[in-house]
Structures are given as structure tokens and as C-alpha cells.
Amino acid sequence: MAEKIPSWPKVTIRLYDDHNAEVKIAGRSHPVNHHDPRQAAIQLVSERAAQLGRAVKATAVESDGASWPLIIHPDGQVEAIEADSGRGRSGGQKPIWPIIVAMVVGCVLVIGTIVFVAVIKPNLHKKPTVTASPLLPSLPGPRVIPDEFPPGNVPPGFTTHAGWTVNLSEGTSPAIKPDGTEVAILTDDGKVAVFDANGKVLWQDEVPKDSESPVYTTIDGKLVLAVATQDTLIYWAGGGAEPKKVGLPDGAKVQFFGKSPLITLSGTGGAMVMSGGELKAVPNQPRLSTILLAEGDRALMSQYHGPLFWSAPDKPLQTITPQKPGGAISDKPQQVLTASPDYALALWQTKDPEKVIPTVHSTASGKVVAVCQPSSATDVQSWDWVPDPNRRMAAWGACLINLATPRTVLLNDFHPLSITGSFIYGTMGSKMYAVTPGKPQHLLDPAPVRPWGIAGNHAIIVYNSVVYALNPAAR
């Protein structure tokens, strides 16, 4: 029977441990994270067999490197087949697999040890050494061309000429790598594509239809590009390496407010973080606390009046007490509002019951990073927090912060919208302004289309589902 089954597609099942496996079909990797990875891997291959309308051959590779040939049928039935010869890990001959037939009387005599494996021999104590990451398949590239920016309302320092443009999926936004060397988008034909600052396609991959906009984030200490769907977190290490896929619990949502993804659970109010390539529950959440964000394998939490807490799997809860700023009359914040990477925002009471002291604290130590001028408690509640991804400055409503100094400037009636390069974009009244803390503000009339970020020397603009990489103006 085995001789009649075509050898394509080539299928390999590699078992890593008691939760993780990898199924490779025709060179395409399908990571498996499951309480029974054997069963999940077999089901995945049987689904492919059902698509082909026939059984397929597969090679099962155990964590110790031993491999076994199998036949997997569309209904999930698995057969072990004979291998006439082969090389073991020590270079010796591999024994022929026994053929088991119903009502067979007798036994098979062999020299050495006879191992019968129904599907995959359970031996999960060691992980294989990965010598190289499998690479993504080659896909047709998107159309990348130079063009003119139609509205003409460009940000300060840039021209209407785009060195390169590309269509992106409607309703999505680009991601700019923190160092400005890459731009990632979801294309209009269902792929994630990554470009260098000059518009060259570095790599691309197909993604599910319900994929959300890509995000650069950190998982297990490495910067990756991630995409979330309704039931899966997919992330790429870059360089053309194939992605890793992690299944999400039912109803879970992925948010990227922190340096790493935080998976919030529906109903329970709990959350999970990525650790060692797996999802792990955030433990030890104090009563009446809110989970704010994730950083690596730990999550930041806070109670209404503080303190802050860092929680990580298999580690004791760490308590961070916000430092009292000058002029505050209480040892505890009146309210901890929110947090972003490295910073937590808190309001402190003053002698004037109508005013509070907006204070930025370090999430590592609780120390004061910046103190805004005492302001109306009612006004501050509506202030938006807009931090610079590169930690050079920030805007907290009307309070502009130079994080390098740190120095704060109060610009009455200013409403920040975004930060790109050296400018904070925002409005005063009905007019758009570009400001830098401590420097004169620039009126932008007519208002430009605000950039998503800077890649190389290009401003990345999105207009009518097209990415425009605007060239800099001559100096």
C-alpha cells in the first residue's frame, strides 16, 4: 500500500516536548502548541490528507532524534510502515519495523532492540538542537513605485514626492521598527510585508483574513513583528525566518500597550504573558488591582491609589511604591491613571482641593521622572498621554515633557495627537500645531496628514489605503 501513495507533499512531524511540536508540509512550518501535541499534529496532517483526497506519507521525529515512517489517512487513522534501512544517530543500521496484522500468531526475532510505535514513541525529555530556522517561501511581491502625495499637506521638513509607495489593506496601519530601518504592513492581497527604509521588500508571508495591523514588540527578549487574529498570536523573528504561532484562549484579546504582548482573558479579568514561547497566566494579582501592560514575561498592575506591582510566572510579586512629588500632601497618589513602557502616570493631592499634581513615575523604581504644574483635577482627567517611542519626550495633555532633562512646559489648551521625529503634533482650538518642549510652536495651516513615523529619512504617511514614504525637503 505504501508504494502506491505518492511521496508528495513531504510531511515531517517533529516532537519537541509534552506541549510543543512542529508539522512541516511541503516546506511550510506549522508550529503546534497543545496539551497533546501528537494528537494535534496528526489531526493537522489528516486535514491536509482530506484536502488531497488520499493518505499521505509522513516522517515522525522524536525529541531524541529517532525517526519513524508513517501513513496518515484523511480520517486520522495512522499506520506504521517498514523502513528497509536507515542510519541511527550513532550511524548504525535501523531495524526493520514489525508488521502487525490481526490474528497473527507467532513472534518476530531480531538482533538488538525491537521498538514498536503506534504513532510516535513518547520520549520528551530533551529538546533537539535547532541548527537553522526554516525560511519563508518566495511569494509574488507587492507593487512598489514612487509617486506624488495627492493632498499636498505634508509634515514640516518633507516634500510631496514619495520615494516609494505601496497599497495596504483597508483599515490597517503600518508599523515602523523602533530604529527606523523597517516598515511593516498588511498588503491588500492578504500578506504581511516588510520593507527597508528605501522600499525594498525584505520578506513577506501569508496571514489569515482576520489579522490585525502588525506591531513590533518583544517576545522572550527578542524584537519581533507580531500579528494577532481572533484565535492566534503570530510572530516573526525577521530575516525571512518562518513564524511561530500561539493559540489564544476563547475570547482572549491581545494588546500591545507595553513592550510585550499582554493577552487579556474574557470574563475572568485575568491575563497571560508570553514566556518561553508559551502563554502563561499572570499570577498573584492583588485584590482590586488592574493589569496595565506586559514587559517580557511579567505584567504591571496597580491599585487605584497605588502601589504598582510586577507579576511574573514562578516569581514572587514585586511591589513598586510611587515616590511622593514636591507639593503633595499625601504619601499615596490620589489615583494611578495609566502606564506605558517605562512610565506610570499618577495624580497627587495638593492643599488646593481643586488641583492635582500630574506626575510621571518610573515603573522600575517608582521614582519621579517628571512633574507637571499643578492643574485642575477636572481638566487632567481628560488629558491624553502621548509618549515618544524613543523616550525623548512626551505630552500629557497640556503638559509637554522633555524626558532627557527632564523639563516640563504647560501649553494651555493643547491636545496632543502623536509624536514623530522632533515634533509633538496636536491641536489648539481648531488649528493644528507641531511643537517641541521649550521651543516655539509651529502653526500648520492647512493641517498636514500626520506621519506614522520616520523610516530612514522618509516620513511614513497613510492616505486612501496607500503608504507614502515622503522624501525630506532640501535644507
Side-chain angles (χ1 to χ4, degrees):
M1 174 182 175
E3 289 77 9
K4 298 179 181 179
I5 299 174
S7 297
W8 61 270
K10 183 179 180 181
V11 178
T12 304
I13 300 173
R14 186 177 296 276
L15 195 65
Y16 291 149
D17 53 34
D18 56 358
H19 290 291
N20 294 281
E22 179 187 28
V23 177
K24 186 173 287 188
I25 303 175
R28 191 68 184 266
S29 176
H30 303 270
V32 173
N33 180 268
H34 196 269
H35 65 86
D36 188 344
R38 299 183 195 84
Q39 177 184 350
I42 293 299
Q43 180 178 352
L44 196 155
V45 178
S46 66
E47 289 174 355
R48 183 57 184 270
Q51 293 174 356
L52 295 172
R54 61 170 173 80
V56 297
K57 294 181 179 179
T59 301
V61 182
E62 303 173 20
S63 60
D64 64 358
S67 63
W68 316 104
L70 307 172
I71 294 175
I72 300 178
H73 296 264
D75 61 359
Q77 180 184 353
V78 180
E79 296 181 55
I81 60 177
E82 290 185 350
D84 295 334
S85 65
R87 293 286 179 184
R89 286 170 295 157
S90 61
Q93 295 292 320
K94 182 189 296 184
I96 297 176
W97 275 47
I99 303 175
I100 306 299
V101 181
M103 302 181 64
V104 171
V105 179
C107 64
V108 179
L109 180 64
V110 297
I111 299 175
T113 302
I114 299 178
V115 181
F116 170 74
V117 178
V119 180
I120 302 174
K121 177 186 175 183
N123 185 0
L124 310 176
H125 300 297
K126 296 182 291 181
K127 289 186 177 180
T129 301
V130 179
T131 57
S133 298
L135 298 181
L136 294 168
S138 177
L139 298 172
R143 184 169 180 258
V144 181
I145 59 171
D147 204 350
E148 292 296 318
F149 185 56
N153 299 340
V154 299
F158 293 91
T159 70
T160 58
H161 183 71
W164 58 277
T165 66
V166 64
N167 294 343
L168 80 165
S169 178
E170 185 176 359
T172 65
S173 56
I176 292 88
K177 195 173 182 180
D179 63 5
T181 59
E182 294 180 2
V183 179
I185 68 167
L186 296 185
T187 63
D188 57 359
D189 59 350
K191 299 194 295 287
V192 60
V194 177
F195 307 82
D196 69 12
N198 295 317
K200 177 185 176 182
V201 178
L202 299 177
W203 59 266
Q204 52 183 342
D205 195 12
E206 295 177 347
V207 292
K209 291 182 179 180
D210 63 338
S211 296
E212 299 176 1
S213 298
V215 178
Y216 281 98
T217 187
T218 301
I219 295 179
D220 290 332
K222 296 181 179 179
L223 184 67
V224 300
L225 183 71
V227 166
T229 72
Q230 288 187 348
D231 56 12
T232 309
L233 175 63
I234 310 169
Y235 61 97
W236 297 261
E242 288 193 330
K244 295 184 178 180
K245 300 179 181 180
V246 178
L248 302 176
D250 291 344
K253 300 292 183 182
V254 184
Q255 56 104 314
F256 298 96
F257 296 150
K259 296 179 181 178
S260 302
L262 177 70
I263 294 84
T264 58
L265 306 178
S266 63
T268 65
M272 306 182 80
V273 292
M274 288 292 301
S275 179
E278 298 180 355
L279 290 180
K280 294 187 178 180
V282 176
N284 307 320
Q285 182 177 358
R287 182 175 296 175
L288 302 178
S289 65
T290 300
I291 301 178
L292 301 174
L293 52 78
E295 181 181 289
D297 65 350
R298 60 181 187 163
L300 179 68
M301 301 177 285
S302 177
Q303 294 174 330
Y304 189 85
H305 300 292
L308 304 170
F309 305 95
W310 282 110
S311 174
D314 305 319
K315 294 180 182 178
L317 192 68
Q318 180 185 6
T319 302
I320 304 294
T321 302
Q323 180 183 12
K324 178 181 175 182
I329 63 172
S330 174
D331 291 333
K332 290 185 177 181
Q334 176 178 302
Q335 182 183 358
V336 175
L337 288 177
T338 188
S340 66
D342 299 327
Y343 307 118
L345 309 186
L347 304 181
W348 294 79
Q349 289 179 299
T350 68
K351 294 180 179 179
D352 184 346
E354 301 292 327
K355 292 189 174 183
V356 294
I357 303 172
T359 307
V360 181
H361 296 270
S362 164
T363 56
S365 63
K367 291 183 178 179
V368 172
V369 173
V371 180
C372 299
Q373 297 181 28
S375 303
S376 164
T378 303
D379 291 344
V380 173
Q381 288 290 346
S382 64
W383 283 4
D384 291 323
W385 169 246
V386 181
D388 178 8
N390 295 309
R391 318 292 195 274
R392 292 173 298 188
M393 55 185 167
W396 186 1
C399 181
L400 310 183
I401 305 169
N402 185 331
L403 292 169
T405 315
R407 178 189 175 192
T408 63
V409 177
L410 195 67
L411 188 59
N412 290 326
D413 298 324
F414 184 74
H415 300 277
L417 298 172
S418 63
I419 296 178
T420 302
S422 60
F423 290 114
I424 302 173
Y425 293 86
T427 60
M428 285 189 287
S430 60
K431 301 292 185 181
M432 176 80 73
Y433 287 82
V435 301
T436 301
K439 295 183 179 181
Q441 58 263 29
H442 300 275
L443 174 63
L444 304 176
D445 191 14
V449 177
R450 288 181 288 117
W452 284 91
I454 304 296
N457 61 353
H458 299 279
I460 303 302
I461 302 286
V462 174
Y463 181 76
N464 282 352
S465 297
V466 178
V467 171
Y468 293 82
L470 302 183
N471 289 348
R475 295 185 177 180

